[in-house]
Amino acid sequence: MSEQLCPLCQQANSCKAGTTEQNQCWCIQQQFPAELLAKAPDQSSCICSECLKKFNDQTTLFYPV
């Protein structure tokens, strides 16, 4: 699997890990819940922002803050 594709939806994850800009990547500022990470069949690439948002939105529906 390409490191540039989200392991959940197979779309571009826009991650900059492994590049000279990796410290500026959007994912550095995010928290990825263990439940979401467990859904990824491949842990070698980043989950995209859309999958993270969908997971967080869905979780909020079931467990309102």
Side-chain angles (χ1 to χ4, degrees):
M1 172 178 290
S2 168
E3 290 180 1
Q4 298 302 308
L5 297 179
C6 173
L8 300 177
C9 69
Q10 303 302 305
Q11 299 300 310
N13 58 19
S14 301
C15 186
K16 296 178 183 175
T19 70
T20 57
E21 300 171 310
Q22 69 184 7
N23 291 335
Q24 302 168 21
C25 188
W26 71 272
C27 67
I28 298 297
Q29 302 298 321
Q30 304 300 312
Q31 290 187 359
F32 291 84
E35 296 88 0
L36 178 60
L37 294 173
K39 293 178 181 278
D42 179 9
Q43 301 285 322
S44 66
S45 58
C46 291
I47 294 170
C48 72
S49 61
E50 279 301 309
C51 285
L52 177 60
K53 181 183 181 318
K54 286 178 186 176
F55 179 85
N56 287 335
D57 289 349
Q58 187 177 46
T59 301
T60 301
L61 285 175
F62 292 109
Y63 306 103
V65 287

